[in-house]
Amino acid sequence: MIDAVITWVDGDDPGHAHKRAAYAKLAEPGRMPAGLDESRFRTSFELYYCVHLIRRHMDWIDRIHLVTDGQRPEWLSDKVAQGLGLAVVDHSTIFRGFEDVLPVFNSKSIEAVLHRIPGLAPAFLYFNDDIFVLRPTPREAFFTAAGARWRGRFHYGFRLENWVSALLGAGGVEREASYLKPGREREFLGRKITFQCAHSPYPFFRDVLADCFAQESSLRHQIAYRFRSHEQMTIPNLVANAAFMRGAAVWGRDDWGYVHGRFDGDDAVLGVLERVRCNAGIRCLCVQEADQMTRLSRLRVERLLADALSRSRLDAVQ
């Protein structure tokens, strides 16, 4: 049995926005300015397509757990949630016993306690709500007898990293922004060569994540920050590297695409979308900061996702 977990927030909700603004005035050690960016909390079409495309293209997923902060999207009625096999999980549930750190506006803190979701399967596919499954994808694309199949690359450090990256290729999109940067995970695990995750679905094992934070002091240090901090680890990188060290992970194929609404203009977005549409080997697409795109690019992205949900138009070009 394998579940899916999605973290989501509606930053436009007045109550949430007011609460976030109040806590943003408090100083936290090593706080990252990007962690206060309003784009991190805005939502539009992403969650709807994220959830429905999982159900459309991953029939082996059992339960979907939507992790939120006392919120619920308007389209997600109890009846719709039941039909989708989706359970809403509040922060108060997974932070039970650590209520002093709430409220939290920081995915690095939230991800550290995902293993505490009640009834969570031993293996689960973790999604940010801006990651979309575009085509039918078998279980073996992420979970095999050899271990979890991680997308990304190995970070070797120093000058050797650039040489190896050039030799092996950078992956689905040749740009640093499309990878989660390795940071304190290397020191925490005592691992010199660090695997650097791509922005695609993350194949977690519940026990690997739980074991990383078996000591309460380690967990408390990770979740002590309401906003992103340089003092924290990036959880997908941590779990991936811990799994590699256990022999429970293998290197996955480059079957993902990536666009960034803040940095990619209309031509760049169109180029990625056309490549994704025409290449049947690309299973997933990450669309970061869609709210920063032009109206034209947003319409193009939504058209691609709508076609992927119906599959008729996406299949027609293959």
Side-chain angles (χ1 to χ4, degrees):
M1 187 172 69
I2 297 175
D3 289 347
V5 173
I6 307 169
T7 50
W8 174 79
V9 64
D10 178 7
D12 294 327
D13 170 36
H16 189 275
H18 177 77
K19 180 170 61 175
R20 189 171 70 249
Y23 281 98
K25 296 176 182 178
L26 305 177
E28 288 184 333
R31 188 160 70 183
M32 302 167 66
L36 301 175
D37 197 318
E38 293 296 319
S39 284
R40 286 198 171 274
F41 307 100
R42 291 194 184 118
T43 185
S44 50
F45 58 80
E46 294 95 337
L47 180 64
Y48 178 88
Y49 282 107
C50 180
V51 170
H52 284 82
L53 286 168
I54 289 172
R55 282 298 181 218
R56 184 73 171 91
H57 293 144
M58 291 179 159
D59 57 7
W60 44 273
I61 291 291
D62 186 41
R63 194 77 170 159
I64 298 176
H65 305 269
L66 179 63
V67 178
T68 75
D69 180 15
Q71 297 179 310
R72 193 181 185 113
E74 292 183 359
W75 55 266
L76 189 65
S77 65
D78 289 341
K79 184 177 180 179
V80 170
Q82 183 177 7
L84 290 169
L86 183 150
V88 178
V89 182
D90 194 73
H91 287 181
S92 61
T93 298
I94 56 177
F95 282 93
R96 184 166 292 129
F98 301 96
E99 288 84 358
D100 55 298
V101 306
L102 295 176
V104 64
F105 313 97
N106 175 1
S107 61
K108 290 188 175 186
S109 296
I110 297 164
E111 291 163 356
V113 291
L114 292 180
H115 61 283
R116 305 177 95 221
I117 293 173
L120 181 65
F124 63 97
L125 206 55
Y126 169 51
F127 289 78
N128 301 122
D129 67 355
D130 58 7
I131 294 176
F132 311 100
V133 184
L134 302 176
R135 291 180 168 89
T137 300
R139 168 179 173 159
E140 292 72 26
F142 289 96
F143 294 97
T144 71
R149 198 180 293 278
W150 287 88
R151 275 72 177 161
R153 67 185 182 191
F154 285 95
H155 179 93
Y156 294 85
F158 305 109
R159 297 178 182 177
L160 181 61
E161 179 198 1
N162 295 331
W163 181 83
V164 172
S165 294
L167 180 65
L168 298 179
V173 178
E174 296 178 357
R175 186 173 51 204
E176 278 295 312
S178 56
Y179 291 87
L180 299 174
K181 302 293 190 299
R184 295 182 175 271
E185 304 89 346
R186 180 183 298 148
E187 178 182 348
F188 184 83
L189 295 173
R191 180 176 171 86
K192 293 182 179 179
I193 298 176
T194 309
F195 190 78
Q196 188 173 353
C197 296
H199 282 283
S200 70
Y202 308 114
F204 278 35
F205 289 122
R206 188 184 61 201
D207 63 338
V208 173
L209 177 56
D211 289 349
C212 285
F213 295 110
Q215 295 185 4
E216 183 175 325
S217 58
S218 297
L219 179 58
R220 276 206 166 271
H221 182 272
Q222 179 70 19
I223 66 177
Y225 304 93
R226 287 193 167 89
F227 295 90
R228 288 190 168 205
S229 171
H230 292 290
E231 301 297 320
Q232 294 179 290
M233 293 179 287
T234 299
I235 300 302
N237 280 341
L238 175 66
V239 174
N241 282 279
F244 273 108
M245 292 175 70
R246 290 185 175 199
V250 293
W251 200 352
R253 58 180 295 189
D254 294 327
D255 56 359
W256 50 278
Y258 177 87
V259 291
H260 197 294
R262 188 185 301 273
F263 303 122
D264 292 333
D266 287 340
D267 289 344
V269 171
L270 178 61
V272 172
L273 297 185
E274 286 302 305
R275 183 169 59 82
V276 166
R277 183 183 290 274
C278 296
N279 185 343
I282 297 179
R283 302 181 188 277
C284 304
L285 174 68
C286 178
V287 182
Q288 286 201 301
E289 298 194 19
D291 65 294
Q292 298 297 309
M293 288 179 172
T294 65
R295 182 173 182 272
L296 176 61
S297 284
R298 280 171 56 89
L299 287 173
R300 285 170 170 167
V301 169
E302 290 187 67
R303 172 57 62 87
L304 177 73
L305 299 180
D307 289 348
L309 193 55
S310 68
R311 269 207 356 233
S312 57
R313 294 191 180 186
L314 206 61
D315 288 344
V317 299
Q318 298 176 21

